[in-house]
Amino acid sequence: MRKRTMVISLICILLAVFTMIIFVFASGRKPYKDLEAAQIVSATVQLPPPGKTIQITETKELVDLLKDVVIYNKDNSYTDYSGQGVTFTLVMIDGTQTSIMEYNPFLVIDGASYKTKYEPCEALNHYANRLLEEEDAVIILENPPKLDVISGNVCNSALLGIYSWQCKNNDGTFTNTEADSAHPLECADVLLPFETTETSAFLRFSEEPDKILGVRCWSDEHWSDPSADSESVSVNGNKIEFKAGGYIYEVIAEWNTEKSGYGGIAHYYFYIQVSPIK
């Protein structure tokens, strides 16, 4: 009788433990319920697409959203899903850094993926995209933006040449990079010709510069002769006029560092062959 009672008691204990596990699994947990804005030194969010990283200057709203996040069991099947995953990076006052990727219905914290409650996770996504749409959004440019040359219905990527770039560190200091490059006329092996019958093109930067400092070109008769004189190119906003024949172009653009601490001057090269319309 005593043995039977012990067995029943053990079963009851196991059932209670199992019930607690199920309850915890069903209710989830809030990993950031104790987070405070004062604990955060800096915060950014990366949105791919459109492939931009934004500095979050006021962290209170972000903290409030993170406090509401609920995670459940670990689940790595998020790689089977498609969609926009925005990634928040927090640098804490103790020097540690954490990465939080919102990828509804998942939350990936420092590489560990969890199933998550839908509504709070979706709120993080809306928040990130709203930051991107704000007129005074602070875009972090760790490297010079990409430049595409659009002529007619054809897009051609420009080659990044020399640049002088500044990046802001978490401690408020700055890192400056001076990158050298061959002269445009010495890049024949990497500047493939972009053939077009159009007489103009639009310069489309992945992040618009504060100013286009100038555009110049050289006839392709001067390949391998960096001492050759250049010709100036007409620029109207982001639109440039081509010269007939084959020319190597250089665009010089500037991003002001005052707003974000990131920016500098970058040179871009591309090779255009304008053919007459037959």
Side-chain angles (χ1 to χ4, degrees):
M1 185 70 180
R2 181 180 297 176
K3 185 176 181 180
R4 182 180 178 185
T5 302
M6 290 180 63
V7 170
I8 293 173
S9 298
L10 181 59
I11 292 173
C12 290
I13 293 172
L14 291 173
L15 285 173
V17 172
F18 182 73
T19 300
M20 289 181 64
I21 293 173
I22 293 297
F23 175 78
V24 171
F25 174 82
S27 61
R29 63 184 180 89
K30 293 185 174 183
Y32 299 107
K33 62 183 179 65
D34 297 323
L35 181 65
E36 298 297 336
Q39 297 174 276
I40 302 174
V41 173
S42 68
T44 62
V45 59
Q46 182 182 37
L47 297 92
K52 294 186 178 182
T53 301
I54 303 169
Q55 182 75 51
I56 301 174
T57 55
E58 298 292 337
T59 58
K60 184 180 184 305
E61 184 176 359
L62 172 60
V63 168
D64 290 341
L65 291 171
L66 288 173
K67 283 176 177 286
D68 290 336
V69 165
V70 178
I71 60 174
Y72 303 107
N73 58 307
K74 281 190 174 183
D75 188 332
N76 289 321
S77 63
Y78 75 96
T79 55
D80 298 331
Y81 287 68
S82 60
Q84 183 194 45
V86 301
T87 302
F88 296 90
T89 301
L90 310 182
V91 178
M92 313 307 289
I93 198 169
D94 62 1
T96 59
Q97 180 173 303
T98 185
S99 171
I100 307 162
M101 182 173 74
E102 175 280 326
Y103 199 62
N104 224 349
F106 300 90
L107 200 73
V108 184
I109 303 174
D110 294 330
S113 175
Y114 303 86
K115 276 291 187 69
T116 186
K117 189 175 181 180
Y118 181 87
E119 290 80 4
C121 197
E122 190 67 9
L124 280 173
N125 183 277
H126 289 317
Y127 167 71
N129 281 279
R130 176 165 53 81
L131 289 178
L132 179 63
E133 295 170 0
E134 291 181 354
E135 187 175 335
D136 60 348
V138 178
I139 307 297
I140 291 178
L141 299 172
E142 294 186 346
N143 297 289
K146 180 182 177 183
L147 169 60
D148 288 327
V149 182
I150 313 296
S151 184
N153 296 321
V154 182
C155 174
N156 185 58
S157 295
L159 175 69
L160 176 62
I162 63 174
Y163 62 88
S164 175
W165 208 252
Q166 174 182 288
C167 291
K168 186 177 181 180
N169 303 316
N170 292 327
D171 61 2
T173 60
F174 299 93
T175 298
N176 293 284
T177 302
E178 301 290 335
D180 201 1
S181 168
H183 189 278
L185 292 176
E186 296 177 312
C187 296
D189 56 337
V190 291
L191 283 180
L192 300 178
F194 176 20
E195 298 180 1
T196 182
T197 58
E198 302 289 334
T199 59
S200 63
F202 287 94
L203 304 176
R204 185 178 69 187
F205 295 88
S206 57
E207 182 62 31
E208 283 297 313
D210 292 288
K211 187 177 183 181
I212 294 178
L213 299 177
V215 181
R216 59 179 179 165
C217 67
W218 298 262
S219 169
D220 57 10
E221 296 176 355
H222 298 300
W223 276 126
S224 302
D225 182 13
S227 64
D229 292 333
S230 63
E231 302 177 44
S232 62
V233 177
S234 174
V235 185
N236 183 11
N238 278 37
K239 183 179 180 181
I240 66 170
E241 300 295 329
F242 290 147
K243 296 182 181 294
Y247 279 81
I248 299 92
Y249 292 78
E250 178 184 41
V251 175
I252 307 171
E254 180 180 24
W255 287 261
N256 198 312
T257 60
E258 291 182 3
K259 182 177 180 181
S260 66
Y262 295 81
I265 296 175
H267 297 235
Y268 301 85
Y269 315 142
F270 51 94
Y271 178 25
I272 302 292
Q273 289 182 336
V274 178
S275 303
I277 300 175
K278 297 180 181 179

